[in-house]
Amino acid sequence: MPTELRKNVSTYLHAEYGTVTGEDPRFISTLQNCKDRAYQDGINVDGSNITDVDTLNQLFSTYLKNKPQKKIKNFRDIPTTDKQIDAIVNENPEDPDYINAIRRARKSIASCRESAFKLIRMDVYHKETG
């Protein structure tokens, strides 16, 4: 199924609200509060303190996209999915401080969300046919 036709629906369990989807206003509000808390002090990027989540996410994505990769000569050396995820999630001393700060903020957001809403299911639907 082409990506543009996919609709991902996450279902969470909350102690007070019961089962909710990622589109529930209470979930969205909690997630926004987690983001606001994680980025409230901002992240120093080349001398500028940035608090805008979209700007920081764009910087992070651009950095990862443009980060030089070592050439793979043997297909067996292609990193596994776990190693690819580790490269995105875990801090790397070779990366700039602001990239590692963004990683820490993202982990903080995930921990904050998970403290209130436990992911119980992720479904993928076709946008047109369901």
Side-chain angles (χ1 to χ4, degrees), residues 23-75:
E23 297 170 348
D24 187 291
R26 297 167 295 192
F27 175 81
I28 293 169
S29 174
T30 299
L31 184 59
Q32 187 59 50
N33 288 338
C34 292
K35 288 179 182 180
D36 291 345
R37 250 184 282 146
Y39 291 111
Q40 70 184 354
D41 295 331
I43 293 178
N44 185 342
V45 180
D46 299 329
S48 297
N49 195 41
I50 300 175
T51 58
D52 181 61
V53 178
D54 293 333
T55 301
L56 291 166
N57 283 336
Q58 183 63 40
L59 286 168
F60 187 76
S61 297
T62 301
Y63 175 80
L64 290 180
K65 188 174 13 173
N66 295 330
K67 184 177 179 180
Q69 302 293 323
K70 59 183 174 183
K71 294 193 180 211
I72 297 173
K73 296 178 182 168
N74 184 334
F75 77 92

Side-chain angles (χ1 to χ4, degrees), residues 1 5-9 122-126 130:
M1 172 178 357
L5 293 178
R6 286 186 205 159
K7 177 176 171 119
N8 298 327
V9 178
M122 287 183 68
D123 297 311
V124 179
Y125 296 100
H126 190 283

